[in-house]
Amino acid sequence: MKKIRVLIAKPGLDGHDRGAKVVARALRDRGFEVVYTGLHQTPEQIAATAVQEGVDAVGLSILSGSHGTLVPRVLDEIKERAGTMIPVFVGGIIPQEDIAPLKEAGVAEVFTPGTTTAQIADAISDIVKKG
Amino acid sequence: MDDLIAKALQKDSLALGRLSRILDDSEEGWERVLEELYPLGGKAHIVGVTGPPGAGKSTLVSCIVSEVRKSGRTSAVLAVDPTSPYSGGAILGDRIRMQSHATDPGVFIRSLATRGHIGGLSKSIRSLVVLLDAAGFDMIILETVGVGQEEVEIRGQAHTTIYVTVPGLGDGIQAMKAGILEIADIYLVNKADLKYANVTVKDLQTMLAMSENEKLWSPPVLTSVASEGEGVSELVVYVNDHWEHINKGGVLQEWRHWAAGQSVREVLRDAVGSGVGELMEERSEELSDDIEKVSNREVDPGSVARKWLSKVKFDV
Ligand SMILES: Nc1nc2c(ncn2[C@@H]2O[C@H](COP(=O)(O)OP(=O)(O)O)[C@@H](O)[C@H]2O)c(=O)[nH]1
Ligand SMILES: [Mg+2]
């Protein structure tokens, strides 16, 4: 069976990547290959990395509250560099009312602190398998 | 596919990313990609970086790339991390130290998982080197997993091998036992900001002196503080010197012949292995019957194997 490859990235300025690491480990334990790039990634870096690494999906971890500005920039960069859209997932502290606008902007799914890592893995693998 | 290949030859990172995936996953058409690309390569300087986990290999690779870019050359990196034997998944984290190069069009970085391959690299690494070499990158850097003794494989993949260690590991003696001294063209004591770096340097020098090297190249022992970028330009001078050295006097020709032999043998073995594996899976019931006969001592294992070998279809 084909391996699922995902990029887990932390855009923006917040300095905590514990959550991102927990998700990365959980995905590894589900058989995913997880490219992990660490803190403070710019939208350009994230998109360029996704393209070079040929990933099936990109997971963004955002705790700083700046998802409203960061996510659309990441989506635009990916669209531009990849030609098509690579599914993008967003996790972190995202207020309920911000979820619908993010999805409208093109985010495949939004995970909040209540989402289990198993649910995250399922959601990613469903969307990747759908193609 | 032709379009992808044409774009990859222009160092288009989208095409390189796609083709890397095709080669790494043996997706349909991967054989043709290699057929097309192989004749175009053979120009890149391939540099291997090996040594224990945490020694600073990824940090160092990033510094080497900066140095290479300063001189106007292009560079590609293949960084390997281990696959979990339990889940088959992997966390590929080498890039964390290399992200300053992420958007540089003269740099291409690809992370790879070992996927069960033993030897510190991945099975697909040869194919990816063919791709990046054909694409025209001047230097291709391979970072191994760094789990120790099997790392001899890097020898057959890289023209120049750097062995990175750190002070206080006491690995001088270990290294000699493991035959690591045969591996490298350059020895580097990284984290020279830590205590006892000079002891480690002396250890390595002593070991090297004992190894009665009759070769034309005598491996230097260097120091660096990769996290500060210190010692890297000196290192790169030696890396370039070694490349010049092997380009003279037929060393490279010899190396190429030897490495080509390694490649062909490996592909042959793999092909036979997977051909046999597929057959056993496809006709597992018939095989079970034969196994039952062996178990009842009606026939010996060798006879069964010979009968089955004649049925294997090899598609390489
Ligand atoms: N003190 C010190 N730390 C370093 C040096 N070079 C790298 N490191 C740190 O060592 C850790 C491991 O580095 P990494 O490049 O990931 O090692 P690798 O596992 O061999 O690839 C990181 O935290 C680096 O910042 C150095 O020269 N001195
Ligand atoms: Mg590393």
Side-chain angles (χ1 to χ4, degrees):
Chain A
M1 206 192 61
K2 212 179 127 160
K3 286 251 154 59
I4 297 177
R5 267 176 88 85
V6 296
L7 167 65
I8 300 287
K10 272 200 68 70
L13 297 175
D14 69 279
H16 297 280
D17 62 350
R18 229 187 66 204
K21 281 179 174 160
V22 168
V23 171
R25 251 176 261 135
L27 295 179
R28 174 200 62 197
D29 294 342
R30 281 282 295 263
F32 292 33
E33 286 182 0
V34 185
V35 178
Y36 187 70
T37 52
L39 297 165
H40 309 315
Q41 299 292 297
T42 65
E44 291 81 6
Q45 283 176 315
I46 293 169
T49 302
V51 162
Q52 290 177 17
E53 296 286 349
V55 294
D56 301 305
V58 176
L60 304 176
S61 160
I62 307 174
L63 307 172
S64 58
S66 46
H67 45 272
T69 50
L70 281 173
V71 172
R73 284 179 55 208
V74 174
L75 293 171
D76 285 348
E77 276 295 327
I78 290 180
K79 242 176 272 167
E80 191 176 318
R81 288 175 189 256
T84 55
M85 203 50 215
I86 303 170
V88 173
F89 297 82
V90 176
I93 303 167
I94 314 288
Q96 206 59 36
E97 65 268 23
D98 290 354
I99 294 179
L102 284 175
K103 286 189 170 175
E104 251 161 61
V107 170
E109 195 57 76
V110 177
F111 306 121
T112 52
T115 319
T116 65
T117 54
Q119 286 169 324
I120 294 176
D122 287 339
I124 295 178
S125 104
D126 281 351
I127 288 201
V128 169
K129 277 177 191 148
K130 255 189 264 160
Chain B
M1 193 74 92
D2 290 328
D3 187 42
L4 267 183
I5 291 177
K7 284 189 174 144
L9 296 180
Q10 306 295 316
K11 297 194 184 67
D12 175 275
S13 60
L14 186 58
L16 289 170
R18 266 304 292 141
L19 287 171
S20 298
R21 190 79 197 267
I22 288 171
L23 294 173
D24 195 22
D25 291 1
S26 307
E27 275 179 40
E28 206 185 316
W30 67 275
E31 301 95 331
R32 249 210 55 219
V33 174
L34 292 179
E35 280 170 28
E36 299 255 331
L37 293 179
Y38 192 78
L40 305 177
K43 297 179 208 86
H45 181 191
I46 305 165
V47 176
V49 178
T50 188
K57 296 182 293 299
S58 301
T59 313
L60 192 78
V61 167
S62 186
C63 296
I64 298 174
V65 170
S66 303
E67 222 29 60
V68 170
R69 294 296 290 141
K70 263 193 236 160
S71 67
R73 291 178 293 162
T74 54
S75 181
V77 177
L78 296 171
V80 188
D81 268 325
T83 293
S84 153
Y86 305 106
S87 67
I91 292 182
L92 311 173
D94 292 319
R95 273 195 90 108
I96 297 173
R97 323 262 174 236
M98 309 180 191
Q99 282 302 80
S100 60
H101 303 292
T103 57
D104 179 348
V107 176
F108 181 85
I109 303 171
R110 177 62 153 76
S111 313
L112 292 160
T114 53
R115 297 187 178 175
H117 183 84
I118 298 164
L121 295 167
S122 80
K123 186 180 149 194
S124 60
I125 201 139
R126 271 183 211 285
S127 307
L128 272 96
V129 167
V130 169
L131 169 68
L132 299 170
D133 189 354
F137 287 99
D138 297 310
M139 187 186 284
I140 301 171
I141 308 175
L142 314 178
E143 179 185 335
T144 75
V145 171
V147 279
Q149 323 190 345
E150 342 66 41
E151 306 248 328
V152 195
E153 192 190 355
I154 191 76
R155 258 339 238 142
Q157 304 274 358
H159 301 119
T160 303
T161 302
I162 305 168
Y163 180 77
V164 185
T165 186
V166 291
L169 271 186
D171 59 351
I173 305 285
Q174 286 309 113
M176 191 173 70
K177 281 193 210 149
I180 276 169
L181 290 178
E182 312 297 310
I183 289 186
D185 305 298
I186 296 168
Y187 293 84
L188 185 74
V189 179
N190 187 43
K191 307 201 184 182
D193 52 323
L194 303 183
K195 263 191 194 164
Y196 306 125
N198 51 345
V199 177
T200 307
V201 169
K202 284 236 172 63
D203 271 1
L204 280 168
Q205 281 167 341
T206 311
M207 297 299 157
L208 282 168
M210 278 163 59
S211 78
E212 260 180 78
N213 200 322
E214 278 169 31
K215 288 173 219 149
L216 298 164
W217 172 267
S218 49
V221 180
L222 309 173
T223 58
S224 66
V225 184
S227 51
E228 306 295 328
E230 281 168 30
V232 179
S233 54
E234 292 82 349
L235 169 69
V236 173
V237 168
Y238 276 98
V239 169
N240 294 338
D241 276 357
H242 185 256
W243 181 228
E244 231 169 75
H245 162 76
I246 64 171
N247 269 285
K248 279 190 300 213
V251 186
L252 186 60
Q253 208 46 41
E254 230 171 79
W255 182 90
R256 282 202 177 120
H257 190 85
W258 176 73
Q262 302 277 100
S263 292
V264 170
R265 288 190 181 92
E266 191 180 297
V267 174
L268 262 172
R269 275 195 206 102
D270 278 351
V272 173
S274 53
V276 172
E278 270 164 37
L279 181 74
M280 290 196 296
E281 218 164 276
E282 258 168 43
R283 297 165 71 166
S284 61
E285 278 178 32
E286 213 182 318
L287 182 64
S288 295
D289 293 344
D290 280 353
I291 290 171
E292 185 61 26
K293 284 181 197 149
V294 173
S295 142
N296 296 333
R297 302 228 164 228
E298 291 165 41
V299 58
D300 74 297
S303 304
V304 170
R306 280 187 287 279
K307 170 183 148 195
W308 279 82
L309 268 178
S310 65
K311 300 181 191 189
V312 180
K313 284 192 282 329
F314 299 109
D315 56 314
V316 191

